[in-house]
Amino acid sequence: MDAFSEIGVFVRVVDARSFTRAGRMVGLTASGVSRVVTRLESRLGVRLLERTTRSVGLTAEGAAYYERCARILRDLEDADGALARGRGAPRGRLRVDAPTVLGRFVLGPSIPRFLDACPEVSLELSLRDHVIDPIAEGVDVVLRMAHLRESELVHKKLGTARFLVVASPAYLARRGRPSAPADLRRHDTLGFLAGAAPLPWRFRSHGHDIVFSPSGRLHTNSVDAIRHAAVAGHGLAQLLELHVREELDGGALEVVLSAHEHREVPIHALYTRDKASLPKVRAFLDFIAECLSATPGGAKAAPSSAKAVASGARSLPAAARTARRRGEPTPRTAR
């Protein structure tokens, strides 16, 4: 076995956290995998793995070596994918980073259909709400719900998600229904904390921007806590429709101030230029845009040019349309 193959076995062991599971992936016995890793350690002159009877862990040197080796293997997969782009077949490992809200309400319900449509793609999905460096972390596509600053990354707008002001029927029966943003001063308003102060609520009415600072009894950085408090009748909340779609459909919450334009958040995909032509990336972006367009009210897809649609993976939008024709449930996208 050559040095490059040894590296591949080592990365499989770390990913699987098991000699046995890694062996199944590469067609070796557990003892065979162990011998390969031992040869690699002997050649490098360092111990890469800490072995116990129940687990496999990385040494400090092993962790550093793994990061570089994994990146090399991902680059090789991308090179293979680039050669296959003429055939347009999505394949290889696809690493995606997204906000937790998109994972919970959009990606989670939709990913099984993506995997069915792209049987040669292996997806690694990380859900977190802080900014990352996709180049340093080896991520293929980063999804973000925000207005973007200047970046060296390529970005594509996939759609938008809008905010709504909601309250429970019991609260509205008790305190009345506001008819204009100015009426909010007479209501309990639940605020989302960003640092030391709650985020302001923003509206646009008759061509003018209106900013309101919530001043109720609850300010928190937990969207779920705000939603639960609103359902329990503790005040008005401004949340993304994606967050409260179920409560609105079930009648636990109602929309107020619907005559006023609410703030919208764009949904973007970011990736490096060398990823843009990979079939697996094009396929994933087309699929997410299709999911957003199928979302009932909570998010809407960005308009696509004919050229942009044609450049994506041909199979996925058709697969999603077929699913809808068969009456399969469409995902509720939310934030």
Side-chain angles (χ1 to χ4, degrees):
M1 182 175 287
D2 60 27
F4 195 80
S5 298
E6 290 175 351
I7 289 173
V9 171
F10 165 66
V11 170
R12 290 291 191 185
V13 170
V14 177
D15 289 343
R17 299 182 183 179
S18 163
F19 287 107
T20 301
R21 288 193 292 271
R24 296 194 193 106
M25 297 176 187
V26 299
L28 294 174
T29 63
S31 59
V33 170
S34 180
R35 285 194 296 271
V36 170
V37 174
T38 299
R39 282 201 305 270
L40 178 61
E41 290 175 323
S42 298
R43 180 168 60 80
L44 296 174
V46 296
R47 189 170 183 82
L48 300 173
L49 297 176
E50 296 288 358
R51 304 160 173 84
T52 69
T53 56
R54 293 188 177 183
S55 64
V56 177
L58 285 166
T59 64
E61 294 86 354
Y65 190 65
Y66 167 79
E67 289 299 326
R68 300 191 67 173
C69 291
R71 191 176 303 122
I72 290 169
L73 292 179
R74 286 194 297 269
D75 289 343
L76 179 61
E77 288 178 354
D78 289 346
D80 289 344
L83 288 176
R85 76 178 59 135
R87 298 191 300 274
R91 59 168 51 88
R93 186 187 309 184
L94 177 66
R95 301 191 69 196
V96 177
D97 186 89
T100 54
V101 62
L102 284 182
R104 178 178 176 184
F105 295 102
V106 182
L107 299 176
S110 306
I111 284 304
R113 291 204 305 276
F114 174 77
L115 296 177
D116 289 341
C118 293
E120 295 185 66
V121 173
S122 298
L123 180 64
E124 293 184 5
L125 175 62
S126 298
L127 301 177
R128 43 193 165 176
D129 294 318
H130 60 268
V131 177
I132 69 162
D133 181 346
I135 298 175
E137 299 202 24
V139 173
D140 297 301
V141 179
V142 175
L143 300 180
R144 283 292 170 260
M145 300 179 70
H147 296 278
L148 300 180
R149 300 176 181 176
E150 289 295 324
S151 170
E152 62 185 23
L153 297 173
V154 178
H155 62 272
K156 177 181 180 181
K157 186 177 179 181
L158 300 176
T160 58
R162 63 179 177 176
F163 281 88
L164 298 175
V165 176
V166 297
S168 71
Y171 175 88
L172 296 175
R174 187 173 72 251
R175 299 290 300 274
R177 184 182 295 268
S179 59
D183 296 339
L184 294 173
R185 291 192 294 268
R186 300 193 296 272
H187 283 269
D188 296 325
T189 49
L190 309 170
F192 181 81
L193 276 180
L199 285 177
W201 297 5
R202 300 183 184 277
F203 307 88
R204 188 166 180 82
S205 182
H206 305 296
H208 297 287
D209 291 326
I210 301 172
V211 180
F212 170 77
S213 296
S215 56
R217 295 171 54 205
L218 174 66
H219 295 161
T220 174
N221 65 348
S222 168
V223 170
D224 286 338
I226 293 174
R227 186 177 72 251
H228 289 311
V231 169
H234 286 284
L236 300 164
Q238 188 182 59
L239 296 169
L240 281 167
E241 184 172 355
L242 301 174
H243 274 134
V244 293
R245 186 70 263 166
E246 281 190 23
E247 287 76 11
L248 292 175
D249 289 345
L253 292 175
E254 297 180 13
V255 177
V256 300
L257 301 178
S258 57
H260 298 268
E261 184 179 344
H262 292 66
R263 180 163 58 101
E264 291 188 337
V265 177
I267 303 172
H268 286 99
L270 296 93
Y271 43 91
T272 57
R273 293 191 182 279
D274 61 309
K275 306 285 187 184
S277 61
L278 294 177
K280 62 182 180 181
V281 171
R282 297 202 314 267
F284 181 77
L285 296 182
D286 282 351
F287 185 75
I288 296 305
E290 183 80 10
C291 291
L292 292 176
S293 69
T295 301
K300 57 186 178 183
S304 298
S305 67
K307 180 179 179 182
V309 172
S311 67
R314 282 77 174 168
S315 61
L316 290 183
R321 287 193 293 270
T322 299
R324 290 207 300 274
R325 285 199 301 270
R326 292 174 178 169
E328 295 174 6
T330 54
R332 285 192 177 124
T333 59
R335 175 164 185 331

